[in-house]
Amino acid sequence: MLTGRLCWVPLLLALGVGSGSGGGGGGGGGSRRRRLLAAKVNKHKPWIETSYHGVITENNDTVILDPPLVALDKDAPVPFAGEICAFKIHGQELPFEAVVLNKTSGEGRLRAKSPIDCELQKEYTFIIQAYDCGAGPRETAWKKSHKAVVHIQVKDVNEFAPTFKEPAYKAVVTEGKIYDSILQVEAVDEDCSPQYSQICNYEIVTTDVPFAIDRNGNIRNTEKLSYDKQHQYEILVTAYDCGQKPAAQDTLVQVDVKPVCKPGWQDWTKRIEYQPGSGSVPLFPSIHLETCDGAVSSIQITIELHTNYIGKGCDRETYSEKSLQKLCGASSGIIDLLPSPSAATNWTAGLLVDSSEMIFKFDGRQGAKIPDGIVPKNLTDQFTITMWMKHGPSPGVRAEKETILCNSDKTEMNRHHYALYVHNCRLVFLLRKDFDQADTFRPAEFHWKLDQICDKEWHYYVINVEFPVVTLYMDGATYEPYLVTNDWPIHPSHIAMQLTVGACWQGGEVTKPRFAQFFHGSLASLTIRPGKMESQKVISCLQACKEGLDINSLESLGQGIKYHFNPSQSILVMEGDDIGNINHALQKVSYINSRQFPTAGVRRLKVSSKVQCFGEDVCISIPDMDTYVMVLQAIEPQITLRGTDRFWRPAAQFESARGVILFPDIRIVSTLAKAEAPGDLKTTAAPKSAVLEEMLHNLDFCDILVLGGDLDPRQECLELNHSELHQRHLDATNSTAGYSIYGVGSMSRYEQVLRHIRYRNWHSASLEARRFRIKCSELNGRYTSNEFTLEVSVLHEVRVSDKEHVNHLIVQPPFLQSVHHPESRSSIQRSSVVPSIATVVIIISVCMLVFVVAMGVHRVRIAHQHFTEEAEAAKEAEMDWDDSALTITVNPMEKHEAPGRGEDDTEEEEEEEEEEEGDEDISSSSSDSDDSEDQEEERMGRGRRGQSGARQAQLEWDDSALPY
């Protein structure tokens, strides 16, 4: 090109272009000539297409144009004039530029000067022109093409993920409905293109939920929802754009299920816990009735407490029947026909019993014979029969008589003198008089037809007989017989009668006597009281339940509320016409259990409602409410017997008329282990886990058993004044096996009675020791005490007959030889200060002997008075007698004494023993006694040196007798 350009210069010079000749006007003329020359050379404008379409991908700088950017010039191949030097874009702040790739061919390129963002601008339109290089190298006289329109479209990249418009969505639906759309979720995408900016799909991320979602984000339920099954659902939802890019974060959709308004009780709990000793506890403190805007005119509520499976129908005290009779103030003389099996009451040993051993089950194959002499042969015109009975419908198509109690002929005949039985769910009482009592046509059968007889529930029955009037009390309510059958008296005979329970004895009309008319059911506390009827007050007490329903405050029930309890307070009926008052009244209903140690377990509750509406035939229905009271386990008491467990007494005391008091210091203590209350946090000591708390309650029996063989009635016995029992309203039975005290009474009453139990043995020479054991019970054996064992021994006296024997006894032990020294005054004083160590017997002369005898008589009288006091008889007895046994007092003048002197010595020994016992009362052990002696002698300046000194002083007194 450069060569080509230079070859044009001679031609231009030859034509006179650009020459400086021409005289004065040569300068201007040269310029004109050049322009003319250039005009002659650059004759044409560049040419480009009239419009271009381009595409650029965002975040890229290359624009692809269609058609390509090429400028043509007809002046070619003339240099400069036929070349393209530039493409210029018209517009302000456009992010594009055009560059020339080849001046000769006119090729160009359109590119971005900065990153292109489709989200900011999707399309660009501008004007572009091409410029040639003009007439020369200085880019003068350029010619530009026409204006072409360039339209550029930005191609999108899927750089943004969908996002939801709301961080969470919430909807409320009503249970039991299927919705086409519960709610709609919506997501957006910031990409600019339709492909990447549109949401093509939604999806539920949470699995196992009854919901579905469509492409538009509408959520629906796939099944009917239930408020009782689930109150609320929480599900996660995601979205996808058309490029299948998922949302950056899922959205939470919360669907609340609203229950369909159902009439019924609201805000009550299924389980109500009851802590023993809590008193009256509200059952439904926040309950209220939802009527769904129903026009209610009145409502009746029935609350039922079901405790039929607990004992005899509810949580009654588990005392024996006799104890219950005494607690309720029943008259004496009651005969228990179904007592707990024992050695004295063995006729119930073969019957089936439940876990409490106080309820007897009859399966239609068992009966019990009451021994002769338990019940009088002929009942008077007044008597009472009581029982607890649970009975269902009779088995079989043809119901037979089911005997509860029967008094029939033992042999030969089959006459029933009196009987109580069930027949076709009727209770029948038969009473046949003998001819020697009356010979007229008189009432003989009394019938009661009651649904409760066959409802398989426990009921309390009392039959009061005041012939010819017979009254039945069932659960405290009175029932007159609906049918009375008259009959003639029974012909007199000398046939013995047999009283039975659970079946009737058939002594005649069969080849072999046997039981018949068996009872099917459960019986408990079957008693008969000849000669007297029970009062209504006693009957109500005997059947009263220790637990039941209660109303905290009758005054706060409000006006217009009527209520009624059944006798056992297991059913409460309330009625009112104002819903607010009914709610308030039901909130006051509570459960109470007055037992100190109630039976733990479940008590079921049922609340049923009947509603009447204003002028409507069809009224709202209130579902029954089933709940239960959970009675927690009570803290069980620990009953402990304490006292002296071993002592010795002289034989004379065992052989005396009063005998020996066995338990003068017996103590009965009952404690409960309770969690200790939290103390001061500032204390560093570790808190105790439990603390023992002493409590008072009743006992129902204490047994004193003889260990090592029964008592020999020819030489020994246990005794107790009946006045001691009667004053404390207790009873007792005595046998060679021991003594049994029974009856409901406080622990202090039992202590007082036990402290008066005496043991006598009028042949005690052969007796070495006797052992006794005490065990006490509460609630008929439910809680028992420890087994307290006492051992009593006979203290046999040591008799000496001559002086040689005395000297032999004294000198025989080797340790006596080392302590022979003269008697000192200090030894006398020590013996007077501490009489429990040695017997103070100093025989210096005949006058001193007379003085000692006089003092001995005086002390014998004191000892006799002391032994009559029961509380001082046995304290630390074992150590007393051990101490006394170490001292042997010898009177060398005994050969000059009268024949009755030996008895005086015995009395003196008893006096010394009593003095030792009196001193031992101050301390709890022999070591304590020695310590107190040391302190006493230190105060008096005697220089005593412990126990060895005591032994030495004792031996000094022994030696002092030798010189005389």
Side-chain angles (χ1 to χ4, degrees):
M1 288 296 294
L2 190 57
T3 305
R5 289 177 181 176
L6 294 177
C7 70
W8 282 92
V9 175
L11 178 59
L12 294 176
L13 291 176
L15 295 175
V17 179
S19 173
S21 60
S31 297
R32 286 194 300 270
R33 284 193 297 267
R34 285 194 297 271
R35 284 195 294 271
L36 291 173
L37 181 59
K40 290 179 181 180
V41 175
N42 191 11
K43 297 179 180 180
H44 302 93
K45 299 178 180 180
W47 177 88
I48 59 176
E49 297 287 343
T50 57
S51 63
Y52 294 91
H53 293 277
V55 176
I56 184 173
T57 303
E58 62 177 343
N59 301 323
N60 201 346
D61 60 353
T62 301
V63 179
I64 301 175
L65 288 177
D66 182 26
L69 183 60
V70 176
L72 301 177
D73 197 328
K74 292 183 178 180
D75 294 326
V78 179
F80 299 106
E83 295 178 336
I84 304 300
C85 281
F87 293 97
K88 290 187 177 181
I89 296 173
H90 300 282
Q92 296 181 353
E93 300 180 358
L94 290 173
F96 298 99
E97 62 179 358
V99 295
V100 178
L101 298 180
N102 192 324
K103 292 183 178 181
T104 304
S105 61
E107 295 180 21
R109 177 180 296 174
L110 191 64
R111 65 185 181 187
K113 296 186 295 184
S114 60
I116 303 298
D117 192 348
C118 179
E119 286 69 39
L120 296 179
Q121 189 168 344
K122 298 179 181 180
E123 295 179 349
Y124 294 90
T125 301
F126 51 87
I127 302 298
I128 190 171
Q129 286 182 302
Y131 289 81
D132 59 15
C133 293
R138 296 184 180 181
E139 298 182 359
T140 57
W142 284 8
K143 289 189 176 184
K144 54 186 177 180
S145 68
H146 59 273
K147 295 179 179 179
V149 177
V150 179
H151 180 77
I152 298 177
Q153 186 176 9
V154 181
K155 185 179 180 182
D156 189 20
V157 174
N158 194 6
E159 58 182 331
F160 292 99
T163 58
F164 287 92
K165 288 186 175 182
E166 301 292 340
Y169 295 83
K170 187 173 183 180
V172 178
V173 297
T174 303
E175 65 174 346
K177 294 179 61 177
I178 296 293
Y179 290 83
D180 294 333
S181 177
I182 296 174
L183 60 87
Q184 183 181 19
V185 297
E186 186 178 359
V188 294
D189 197 314
E190 295 182 2
D191 289 315
C192 64
S193 64
Q195 179 182 5
Y196 299 136
S197 64
Q198 292 183 1
I199 306 299
C200 286
N201 192 22
Y202 291 92
E203 183 180 315
I204 295 177
V205 179
T206 307
T207 59
D208 298 329
V209 289
F211 298 96
I213 190 170
D214 62 13
R215 300 183 122 196
N216 297 322
N218 294 307
I219 297 176
R220 59 183 177 86
N221 56 320
T222 57
E223 62 184 44
K224 293 181 180 180
L225 305 180
S226 172
Y227 176 81
D228 295 333
K229 181 179 179 181
Q230 191 165 344
H231 296 354
Q232 186 184 80
Y233 293 88
E234 291 185 348
I235 58 178
L236 293 176
V237 177
T238 190
Y240 295 90
D241 60 18
C242 293
Q244 293 303 308
K245 192 167 190 175
Q249 186 174 2
D250 301 332
T251 188
L252 176 66
V253 179
Q254 180 177 306
V255 180
D256 292 331
V257 182
K258 182 178 69 173
V260 176
C261 185
K262 297 178 181 178
W265 297 102
Q266 305 291 330
D267 296 336
W268 55 275
T269 57
K270 183 78 174 177
R271 173 188 170 107
I272 303 134
E273 290 190 352
Y274 182 84
Q275 183 69 42
S278 301
S280 185
V281 174
L283 295 172
F284 316 108
S286 303
I287 197 169
H288 67 276
L289 180 63
E290 176 62 62
T291 60
C292 296
D293 300 327
V296 177
S297 60
S298 66
I299 182 170
Q300 183 185 78
I301 305 170
T302 302
I303 305 114
E304 298 178 73
L305 179 67
H306 297 278
T307 57
N308 301 327
Y309 54 92
I310 300 175
K312 291 175 289 188
C314 77
D315 201 10
R316 293 177 170 87
E317 295 284 3
T318 54
Y319 288 121
S320 65
E321 186 61 23
K322 284 189 176 181
S323 298
L324 280 175
Q325 298 275 0
K326 182 171 293 187
L327 284 173
C328 291
S331 55
S332 59
I334 295 172
I335 303 169
D336 191 357
L337 301 181
L338 285 177
S340 297
S342 65
T345 58
N346 57 358
W347 66 85
T348 59
L351 299 179
L352 299 175
V353 296
D354 71 350
S355 58
S356 68
E357 297 185 357
M358 299 180 67
I359 296 175
F360 295 86
K361 298 180 179 180
F362 295 88
D363 57 0
R365 296 190 298 267
Q366 292 179 317
K369 292 182 179 180
I370 308 298
D372 297 337
I374 300 295
V375 180
K377 178 180 178 181
N378 293 317
L379 298 176
T380 61
D381 287 344
Q382 283 190 349
F383 60 92
T384 299
I385 298 175
T386 66
M387 67 174 178
W388 283 95
M389 183 178 72
K390 181 169 72 171
H391 179 264
S394 303
V397 178
R398 182 181 177 183
E400 295 183 355
K401 294 180 180 179
E402 299 181 56
T403 300
I404 301 169
L405 180 66
C406 180
N407 189 29
S408 60
D409 292 332
K410 184 176 290 187
T411 58
E412 300 181 20
M413 303 181 71
N414 192 31
R415 298 175 302 175
H416 295 184
H417 297 263
Y418 64 86
L420 180 64
Y421 60 90
V422 175
H423 189 210
N424 290 324
C425 293
R426 291 169 174 83
L427 186 65
V428 182
F429 177 64
L430 170 69
L431 179 61
R432 300 288 302 278
K433 292 290 186 177
D434 292 341
F435 256 109
D436 55 357
Q437 294 176 312
D439 57 357
T440 59
F441 203 61
R442 307 185 68 180
E445 282 190 6
F446 304 84
H447 296 245
W448 293 271
K449 185 178 181 181
L450 302 170
D451 295 335
Q452 290 87 341
I453 295 174
C454 288
D455 64 357
K456 296 183 180 180
E457 305 289 350
W458 280 105
H459 299 284
Y460 187 61
Y461 299 86
V462 178
I463 299 175
N464 263 352
V465 179
E466 190 173 14
F467 197 80
V469 178
V470 178
T471 305
L472 171 67
Y473 294 87
M474 190 195 68
D475 295 338
T478 306
Y479 296 89
E480 299 296 333
Y482 79 96
L483 177 63
V484 177
T485 304
N486 296 327
D487 203 349
W488 292 102
I490 295 179
H491 293 283
S493 66
H494 300 287
I495 302 173
M497 291 182 288
Q498 178 64 61
L499 182 61
T500 57
V501 175
C504 197
W505 184 254
Q506 189 173 0
E509 302 176 0
V510 291
T511 57
K512 184 180 180 180
R514 57 181 175 82
F515 281 117
Q517 300 175 3
F518 290 95
F519 179 72
H520 298 77
S522 298
L523 296 174
S525 305
L526 177 61
T527 68
I528 189 168
R529 170 64 173 89
K532 194 167 183 180
M533 296 191 307
E534 290 298 352
S535 65
Q536 177 71 43
K537 181 179 179 181
V538 172
I539 293 172
S540 299
C541 175
L542 289 173
Q543 68 90 33
C545 189
K546 296 297 181 180
E547 64 177 343
L549 301 173
D550 191 21
I551 297 179
N552 282 339
S553 177
L554 295 176
E555 295 79 8
S556 62
L557 284 183
Q559 298 180 351
I561 299 296
K562 300 177 183 179
Y563 68 93
H564 172 72
F565 284 101
N566 69 331
S568 63
Q569 288 195 215
S570 61
I571 299 177
L572 170 61
V573 180
M574 305 177 70
E575 188 175 353
D577 54 7
D578 183 79
I579 299 299
N581 289 341
I582 283 289
N583 291 338
H584 184 70
L586 191 54
Q587 292 169 6
K588 297 294 181 181
V589 177
S590 60
Y591 168 82
I592 188 170
N593 195 319
S594 59
R595 283 193 60 184
Q596 196 170 21
F597 308 107
T599 303
V602 172
R603 275 74 164 160
R604 293 186 296 109
L605 274 171
K606 182 179 180 180
V607 180
S608 55
S609 309
K610 294 181 180 179
V611 177
Q612 292 183 356
C613 300
F614 288 102
E616 294 184 9
D617 295 335
V618 179
C619 196
I620 61 176
S621 176
I622 306 298
D624 292 343
M625 184 169 57
D626 291 317
T627 181
Y628 64 92
V629 177
M630 174 58 74
V631 178
L632 304 179
Q633 182 67 47
I635 303 175
E636 296 187 358
Q638 184 176 359
I639 305 172
T640 307
L641 302 178
R642 301 172 183 168
T644 302
D645 58 358
R646 188 177 185 184
F647 65 83
W648 290 259
R649 289 290 182 270
Q653 292 189 28
F654 287 96
E655 298 175 1
S656 65
R658 290 186 54 83
V660 175
I661 296 177
L662 293 180
F663 313 105
D665 59 348
I666 193 72
R667 279 292 311 270
I668 304 176
V669 178
S670 180
T671 55
L672 289 178
K674 291 187 175 180
E676 188 177 20
D680 190 0
L681 298 177
K682 297 180 181 180
T683 58
T684 57
K688 297 180 180 179
S689 59
V691 61
L692 294 180
E693 179 178 325
E694 189 169 342
M695 64 171 301
L696 300 177
H697 54 84
N698 292 331
L699 301 178
D700 49 13
F701 71 80
C702 283
D703 290 337
I704 301 102
L705 301 178
V706 181
L707 304 181
D710 291 350
L711 297 175
D712 186 356
R714 295 172 297 179
Q715 69 176 25
E716 58 182 342
C717 67
L718 290 174
E719 293 181 346
L720 177 65
N721 291 336
H722 289 289
S723 60
E724 299 293 339
L725 291 169
H726 295 160
Q727 290 174 6
R728 295 165 180 87
H729 306 287
L730 299 176
D731 296 317
T733 57
N734 191 4
S735 67
T736 58
Y739 219 104
S740 180
I741 305 168
Y742 59 91
V744 180
S746 64
M747 294 187 296
S748 62
R749 287 184 180 182
Y750 271 87
E751 280 183 0
Q752 295 167 7
V753 172
L754 289 174
R755 289 174 183 175
H756 287 83
I757 295 289
R758 303 186 307 275
Y759 171 66
R760 290 184 59 200
N761 191 317
W762 45 91
H763 295 292
S764 60
S766 60
L767 178 68
E768 292 296 331
R770 257 299 185 189
R771 296 173 67 235
F772 303 91
R773 177 175 294 166
I774 305 180
K775 188 174 183 179
C776 296
S777 158
E778 161 71 329
L779 295 180
N780 202 41
R782 179 177 175 184
Y783 305 113
T784 57
S785 69
N786 62 315
E787 293 183 347
F788 175 77
T789 302
L790 167 69
E791 180 176 330
V792 295
S793 302
V794 178
L795 183 68
H796 297 285
E797 300 176 358
V798 178
R799 301 280 183 175
V800 291
S801 58
D802 51 47
K803 188 173 181 179
E804 290 80 7
H805 187 206
V806 170
N807 293 337
H808 175 74
L809 288 176
I810 296 176
V811 179
Q812 184 70 24
F815 66 87
L816 293 178
Q817 301 175 3
S818 62
V819 292
H820 287 214
H821 54 81
E823 172 187 344
S824 64
R825 179 171 178 171
S826 61
S827 300
I828 299 176
Q829 293 177 349
R830 282 198 302 270
S831 178
S832 62
V833 172
V834 191
S836 63
I837 301 174
T839 306
V840 183
V841 181
I842 305 175
I843 304 176
I844 301 175
S845 62
V846 175
C847 294
M848 288 299 293
L849 177 61
V850 173
F851 173 75
V852 170
V853 171
M855 290 296 295
V857 173
H858 176 65
R859 290 176 180 174
V860 165
R861 293 178 180 175
I862 296 176
H864 179 70
Q865 297 176 358
H866 184 71
F867 276 112
T868 61
E869 298 177 3
E870 59 192 27
E872 300 295 328
K875 288 187 177 180
E876 305 296 336
E878 179 179 355
M879 299 305 299
D880 294 344
W881 289 110
D882 286 341
D883 294 341
S884 63
L886 295 176
T887 302
I888 302 177
T889 304
V890 181
N891 184 5
M893 302 293 293
E894 63 183 358
K895 62 183 178 179
H896 304 292
E897 292 176 354
R901 183 69 183 117
E903 182 178 354
D904 294 340
D905 290 344
T906 302
E907 291 176 352
E908 236 178 17
E909 289 176 3
E910 294 178 0
E911 163 215 340
E912 293 159 6
E913 293 161 2
E914 287 300 315
E915 288 181 356
E916 292 172 4
E917 289 176 0
D919 289 342
E920 286 297 337
D921 289 343
I922 302 174
S923 60
S924 60
S925 65
S926 60
S927 61
D928 294 339
S929 176
D930 292 339
D931 293 340
S932 64
E933 291 168 2
D934 294 343
Q935 294 173 4
E936 184 69 21
E937 292 194 359
E938 283 175 5
R939 288 196 298 268
M940 301 181 65
R942 304 305 180 200
R944 181 76 177 267
R945 292 183 181 180
Q947 189 172 3
S948 62
R951 182 179 297 146
Q952 181 179 358
Q954 174 181 329
L955 296 175
E956 288 173 1
W957 283 110
D958 290 342
D959 296 340
S960 65
L962 296 177
Y964 298 94

